[in-house]
Amino acid sequence: MSKGHAGVNLFSRNQEVTSRPTPSGERSSNKYGVSGLLASSAARGWSNLTAELRSHRGTVAWNTPQPYAEICVDVRGSRSVVTRRLDGAIDTTISERGTIWFRPAGVHEGLIDMSEPVPAILHLYLPTGLFLSHDLGEGFGATAIDTLRHKGGFRDPLLAEIAFAIMLELEHETSAGRLLAETLAFSLVARLIQNHTAPRSGLVTPAAGEGLDRRRLARVLDYIEANLEGDLTVARLASVACLSEFYFARAFKAAIGKSPHRHVSARRLERAKDLLCDADRALVDIALGLRFSCQANFTRAFRRATGQTPAQYRRNRLA
């Protein structure tokens, strides 16, 4: 991957200095506007992560403070020469699939120049509060966020895989997508702190840990069953288990072999099958009750899991 590419003029094309408002709930702070927006998590109800899938071309510039940390991942590859200038620091990279850029919160002005159109960049916005130790649990310093610096054009297979998982959820919604997004947000933060901060003393990398004990696991599973049509979040499940959100996700998977997202998704699928046996329950009510953003996404997810649409399943069961 080429660094320090020569001959790139940061002002060689018309700049896309965005001033149009972004969709409600977005965290891009009018940085990119609505042009090139391919998919967004704005309507998904994700609480600690916002995701946008975008195409880009030319030059993007802004001069307003950015309140959220941002991870950008090229999810298709373009071979475009991407040059960034953030608060005076410049980096240049030839973009390939899996290329990652990181920008911490607080950057006041920047400019991004692309030599060729970039068809798909996943933008992940993380609130600064997510980097605090009380969210991540013991082993992460409270001042870790202060050591984060912008970093351009690097490779990190784990960060990339997390980003690809978020993109898949963004494009193909599941009933437990919010749980998945919240869990992966903590994984993103932990990876950034562990591998992409300046070395310092006192930072302890958490051990893998054991699974939930039988009593905590029973409380969590009972809570999930009682709230399958409710607003399940990692924070609430972690509270039931009396653990930090970061450690809860790991302990839950260690205990039952599934992440909270996969377990809740599977249980909601079984609940959907039960609800579909009620001929008077509208499909859209079932979809929204099981936390899908719309009936169409519920239909796609149900068909992927069962090979039938909800309407087909209902007809077969009630025949």
Side-chain angles (χ1 to χ4, degrees), residues 16 32 36 54-58 60 114 116-121 123:
E16 294 179 10
Y32 302 112
R54 290 179 170 274
S55 63
H56 294 287
R57 65 174 62 241
V60 178
M114 291 150 281
E116 304 292 337
V118 181
I121 295 287
H123 298 262

Side-chain angles (χ1 to χ4, degrees), residues 77-187:
S78 65
R79 302 296 296 173
S80 175
V81 178
V82 178
T83 300
R84 303 188 315 165
R85 186 179 69 189
L86 304 179
D87 284 350
I90 298 178
D91 61 76
T92 300
T93 305
I94 297 177
S95 185
E96 300 173 342
R97 186 176 188 271
T99 300
I100 302 170
W101 297 265
F102 174 71
R103 175 193 55 73
V107 173
H108 284 72
E109 63 178 348
L111 182 145
I112 304 171
D113 180 87
M114 291 150 281
S115 66
E116 304 292 337
V118 181
I121 295 287
L122 182 67
H123 298 262
L124 303 173
Y125 303 96
L126 300 166
T128 55
L130 205 60
F131 291 82
L132 300 178
S133 59
H134 71 266
D135 288 321
L136 293 171
E138 295 180 3
F140 291 97
T143 60
I145 189 173
D146 297 330
T147 69
L148 292 170
R149 298 291 182 266
H150 31 76
K151 189 173 183 180
F154 66 96
R155 311 287 290 193
D156 184 320
L158 180 56
L159 276 181
E161 286 304 314
I162 295 172
F164 294 147
I166 293 170
M167 184 183 70
L168 185 62
E169 175 62 32
L170 191 62
E171 294 183 318
H172 305 286
E173 184 183 13
T174 65
S175 63
R178 178 174 178 176
L179 281 172
L180 175 65
E182 292 175 346
T183 301
L184 293 182
F186 283 110
S187 297

